Amino acid sequence: MMRINIYDIINSKNALLHNDGIAIFQEAEKLHDTYKDTIELDFSGVTRLSTLFLNASFGKLLVKYGAEATRHNFLPANYSQISSFMEKFNDMWDNFENKENYQAYRELDFA
């Protein structure tokens, strides 16, 4: 199993920004496509998290690899210090699995 330390890549205890999520996606994509191994995404040292970050990292992994491959190949770890991690992670996953409903809500917001 390979490991990506989120803190080391974004250089911050706050995983909030879209661009930081993209950086994590790109690193995970590169390691997975090169080594065909499971990737642990280690949140040690991270204390805050946004769904924006998750959509840009795990959300893009879901789009590229699908739910089953993402669930088995990209594993979040060491996130217990982020009180809302699972709630936000589940929201991100739900947005992916129900993208038709999510898109309809977005279109209503902009109508």
Side-chain angles (χ1 to χ4, degrees):
M1 181 179 305
M2 309 204 70
R3 176 178 289 171
I4 294 173
N5 185 289
I6 307 295
Y7 184 90
D8 288 347
I9 292 176
I10 66 173
N11 298 309
S12 175
K13 63 183 181 175
N14 301 311
L16 303 173
L17 304 176
H18 178 81
N19 287 345
D20 289 341
I22 294 295
I24 299 305
F25 164 74
Q26 290 171 338
E27 183 66 17
E29 175 187 46
K30 179 178 74 178
L31 286 176
H32 182 265
D33 290 353
T34 301
Y35 298 104
K36 307 293 188 228
D37 198 2
T38 301
I39 311 295
E40 180 180 84
L41 291 105
D42 184 353
F43 284 85
S44 296
V46 176
T47 57
R48 292 184 64 213
L49 178 78
S50 74
T51 49
L52 181 68
F53 173 87
L54 287 172
N55 285 334
S57 54
F58 279 94
K60 285 185 69 68
L61 292 169
L62 279 164
V63 169
K64 178 165 183 175
Y65 299 104
E68 189 69 20
T70 300
R71 183 177 291 112
H72 290 40
N73 293 309
F74 303 97
L75 309 175
N78 302 316
Y79 53 80
S80 62
Q81 72 284 1
I82 305 170
S83 61
S84 60
F85 182 90
M86 284 312 298
E87 179 182 345
K88 290 178 180 179
F89 189 84
N90 289 334
D91 283 347
M92 176 273 309
W93 201 282
D94 186 60
N95 289 342
F96 171 78
E97 289 186 338
N98 298 295
K99 52 186 158 261
E100 293 82 17
N101 293 339
Y102 179 70
Q103 187 59 36
Y105 291 134
R106 287 184 53 134
E107 289 169 3
L108 284 174
D109 285 342
F110 294 112

